[in-house]
Amino acid sequence: MRLERTLEHLEHLVGFDTQNPPRDLTLEHPLFRYLREALGAGFELEVTDHGKGRITILAVRGTPRTLFNCHLDTVPASGDWSVPPLKLTVGEERAWGLGACDVKGAGAALLTLSQQDELPLALLFTTDEEGAEGCCVEAFVDGGGAGRFHRVVVCEPTGCRPVTRHRGYLSVRGRFAGTPGHSSEPRALEDSATHRLVQ
């Protein structure tokens, strides 16, 4: 039953076009109506529109000690898809769809969890992880939103291995020419201007 419900949520989430860029999202986007309806009346919702399609939904029920953070934007669909990217395809014990792994699948699982019981739960959904000019998580932390939680679980694909630290990164802004690569594209494993830039 839980798997069926999760796949039902995932089918809806994959069907919402949240490609970033262009990150063409407003508060009227059907994704946000779906989240509100799926979470139900037991959650207090705090919605923040940072502009440029960068939207945060904080959903809290009770007084939880753990916050689950999940982004719902995706990279743009490449031309390498063998199934429709905005339609969930299930078979051979797998589910395919744009963002299913990174990380709408986690969002679907969290929605299913939210409907299982009335236990305390805190969810932070964002829409600006994949593209440039992200600010949702930074604004949430800078505004003191994280202070009431003891730990944060960041939903990202890790091959089902728990990772208890941040991978670390250096953030810079620059302009260069080439074909970029993302982990969602098999081509990018061999051909990525981004990888060549940092070598």
Side-chain angles (χ1 to χ4, degrees), residues 65-69 124 137 140-141 146 149-155 163:
R65 297 164 54 92
T66 301
L67 172 68
F68 293 88
N69 169 233
L124 182 69
V137 170
F140 178 74
V141 172
F149 303 106
H150 292 204
R151 69 190 66 83
V152 177
V153 175
V154 179
C155 300
V163 178

Side-chain angles (χ1 to χ4, degrees), residues 66-85:
T66 301
L67 172 68
F68 293 88
N69 169 233
C70 180
H71 73 87
L72 296 176
D73 57 321
T74 70
V75 296
S78 71
D80 297 329
W81 282 83
S82 60
V83 296

Side-chain angles (χ1 to χ4, degrees), residues 6-51:
T6 300
L7 288 173
E8 180 182 324
H9 287 309
L10 184 56
E11 182 175 21
H12 283 92
L13 294 180
V14 166
F16 296 126
D17 187 352
T18 58
Q19 295 176 77
N20 179 10
R23 198 170 59 219
D24 187 20
L25 299 172
T26 66
L27 291 176
E28 287 72 40
H29 193 283
L31 166 67
F32 304 114
R33 182 172 61 250
Y34 183 79
L35 290 176
R36 285 191 290 267
E37 290 173 358
L39 290 167
F43 283 86
E44 292 183 21
L45 299 182
E46 181 181 319
V47 181
T48 307
D49 186 346
H50 302 280

Side-chain angles (χ1 to χ4, degrees), residues 23 49-55 135:
R23 198 170 59 219
D49 186 346
H50 302 280
K52 299 183 180 181
R54 302 169 300 183
I55 297 171
C135 71

